[in-house]
Amino acid sequence: MRHLFRFRCALSSRRWIQLIFEDPKSSRCPEAHLYSTVTWYHSYLQKASPKYRQEKKIQRVNILQDPGIPIVDRLSRNELIELLKNSIVYREGALLALSKPCGLSITGQEPSLNTLLPDLRKALCLSETPHIVTAAQRDLSGLVLLSNCHQTTRIIEAAILQARKAQIPVATYWAVTVGTLHPSEGEIKMPLKISRIHERQLVIPAPDPAPGNLQRKEVKKAVTRYRVLDSAEGCSLVQLQPLSTFQDQLRVHLSVKLSPALGDHVYSSRVGCILGVPISLPVDSVEPHPQVLQEKLLRKMHLTQQQMHQVPLHLHLQSLQIPGKNKELSPITVTANPPQYFVKTLRLLGLTSS
């Protein structure tokens, strides 16, 4: 394929040389190239440049690659202590609040937050080993409230109990959901109970509990207040405020609304899809499995379905209201920003929060 080189040189106050490649197969007038500021090969050379390819590669990086997901089981004890030390968001008097990573359990075998507290006391030079007042569950990220004064703990626990009786939310969570809740603001009132399904103890909804079940506490009433902060195609950022406490309450309530949390590989299996319409599946007929996303969401997040089992639960304890030092002072709101992978997911999905 032959190309015609044309050189045009002009001597003026500004000397310039224009190099033009002309495609012989082009039906345009050859002279038109002389007046074009962008030659036909310019965009091709730009896309072929290493810098352009590197920029496109960076844009396609998913959350597993950058910023990455902290795997608690792979961190040493010293690394966990350093991680917790750098995640402190509030420190006043006997109270200490930090933001824990997802996957770190509160109690139980190591690694757990409870077993790390003695080393955390040494790292922070505390006079006494703190104890846990309230904390996000194992699979969640977010706030942990610690105290080294039992009297302060009793005051906070009494205030939290009083707030629940008055139906005043104390904790606020953020969740990225697969689906959009309708209406955009309201309350999810669904009693819950624990049942053995497929050799696992799981939480299931109990829509019409008998009075005896409630009295024997086999079923417990559960209420979650929610508000959709933003939504895009097939996903949402939702604010959740539980008005009751039950294991996995928020995750089950979201699945009841056909909008499971992103990264929920247990309760998302209860939501199916027929011709693009989400449906509720019988809880006793489905086994927990890695969450299945539609192709358009996978493309947005630069993921494959085979990688979904690595995606963490996008449910974050964002703020807590704790009482002031005395009754005359208003409650103090302690907040913790979501982890970096959570923030990047919002950007990839086109979601924003005020």
Side-chain angles (χ1 to χ4, degrees):
M1 181 177 181
R2 298 181 57 189
H3 291 77
L4 178 63
F5 262 88
R6 289 193 176 183
F7 293 87
R8 177 176 177 179
C9 302
L11 297 176
S12 60
S13 59
R14 294 182 61 187
R15 296 187 177 185
W16 55 276
I17 299 177
Q18 184 176 15
L19 178 63
I20 297 178
F21 288 81
E22 188 171 290
D23 188 355
K25 293 185 178 181
S26 176
S27 60
R28 298 181 302 172
C29 173
E31 297 299 325
H33 285 288
L34 298 177
Y35 307 100
S36 176
T37 58
V38 180
T39 56
W40 66 270
Y41 59 88
H42 183 271
S43 60
Y44 174 79
L45 293 177
Q46 183 184 20
K47 293 180 179 179
S49 66
K51 181 179 179 181
Y52 180 87
R53 290 199 302 268
Q54 183 66 20
E55 290 175 354
K56 296 297 289 184
K57 184 178 180 180
I58 293 175
Q59 292 175 4
R60 295 193 184 101
V61 170
N62 58 44
I63 61 172
L64 304 178
Q65 299 166 314
D66 182 25
I69 312 300
I71 308 299
V72 172
D73 295 337
R74 298 180 184 176
L75 298 178
S76 66
R77 190 178 185 87
N78 290 335
E79 289 173 333
L80 282 172
I81 294 298
E82 190 66 22
L83 179 64
L84 295 176
K85 182 180 177 182
N86 294 332
S87 63
I88 294 175
V89 295
Y90 178 82
R91 188 173 183 179
E92 182 69 29
L95 295 179
L96 176 70
L98 54 87
S99 183
K100 83 171 190 68
C102 63
L104 179 62
S105 59
I106 306 304
T107 58
Q109 298 180 352
E110 294 192 18
S112 69
L113 181 61
N114 200 39
T115 59
L116 295 172
L117 290 179
D119 291 346
L120 185 62
R121 179 190 70 84
K122 296 178 182 179
L124 298 177
C125 300
L126 300 176
S127 59
E128 296 182 15
T129 301
H131 54 269
I132 301 170
V133 181
T134 185
Q137 296 179 357
R138 178 185 184 277
D139 294 329
L140 279 64
S141 61
L143 283 169
V144 174
L145 185 62
L146 304 174
S147 171
N148 57 11
C149 175
H150 290 281
Q151 182 179 0
T152 302
T153 302
R154 286 193 292 270
I155 294 174
I156 294 176
E157 290 176 342
I160 292 176
L161 182 60
Q162 185 177 0
R164 286 174 183 160
K165 290 181 179 180
Q167 295 289 284
I168 299 175
V170 175
T172 299
Y173 295 77
W174 278 5
V176 178
T177 64
V178 181
T180 303
L181 285 76
H182 296 287
S184 61
E185 187 173 355
E187 290 185 352
I188 306 171
K189 299 180 179 180
M190 177 59 70
L192 303 173
K193 68 177 183 179
I194 298 178
S195 180
R196 190 171 183 82
I197 300 177
H198 301 292
E199 305 300 323
R200 296 182 62 173
Q201 295 288 339
L202 298 175
V203 180
I204 64 173
D208 300 307
N213 293 335
L214 292 172
Q215 292 175 0
R216 292 188 297 270
K217 297 184 179 181
E218 298 172 350
V219 178
K220 185 178 179 181
K221 293 182 179 180
V223 181
T224 301
R225 188 174 296 169
Y226 73 90
R227 182 163 65 95
V228 178
L229 301 178
D230 194 17
S231 60
E233 295 183 27
C235 54
S236 300
L237 173 63
V238 183
Q239 174 185 283
L240 300 165
Q241 294 178 319
L243 303 180
S244 56
T245 57
F246 201 91
Q247 176 185 334
D248 296 340
Q249 172 180 324
L250 300 180
R251 299 166 67 178
V252 177
H253 275 179
L254 287 175
S255 67
V256 168
K257 294 291 286 185
L258 305 180
S259 299
L262 178 65
D264 188 347
H265 306 302
V266 177
Y267 300 104
S268 65
S269 58
R270 300 176 181 177
V271 180
C273 187
I274 296 180
L275 299 177
V277 179
I279 61 170
S280 180
L281 301 177
V283 295
D284 55 351
S285 65
V286 291
E287 288 191 49
H289 56 72
Q291 189 174 32
V292 178
L293 293 187
Q294 295 183 4
E295 188 63 31
K296 62 179 181 180
L297 287 183
L298 290 173
R299 286 197 301 267
K300 278 187 173 184
M301 298 189 67
H302 311 308
L303 291 168
T304 64
Q305 187 58 50
Q306 289 73 21
Q307 294 174 312
M308 275 304 298
H309 72 280
Q310 304 177 56
V311 175
L313 179 64
H314 283 58
L315 187 54
H316 175 76
L317 178 50
Q318 189 260 346
S319 69
L320 283 170
Q321 277 199 346
I322 56 178
K325 293 182 179 180
N326 54 62
K327 295 182 179 180
E328 297 178 355
L329 296 178
S330 58
I332 301 170
T333 301
V334 181
T335 61
N337 292 328
Q340 294 182 7
Y341 65 83
F342 194 108
V343 176
K344 182 166 184 176
T345 295
L346 295 180
R347 180 171 58 82
L348 291 175
L349 295 178
L351 299 171
T352 58
S353 62
S354 57

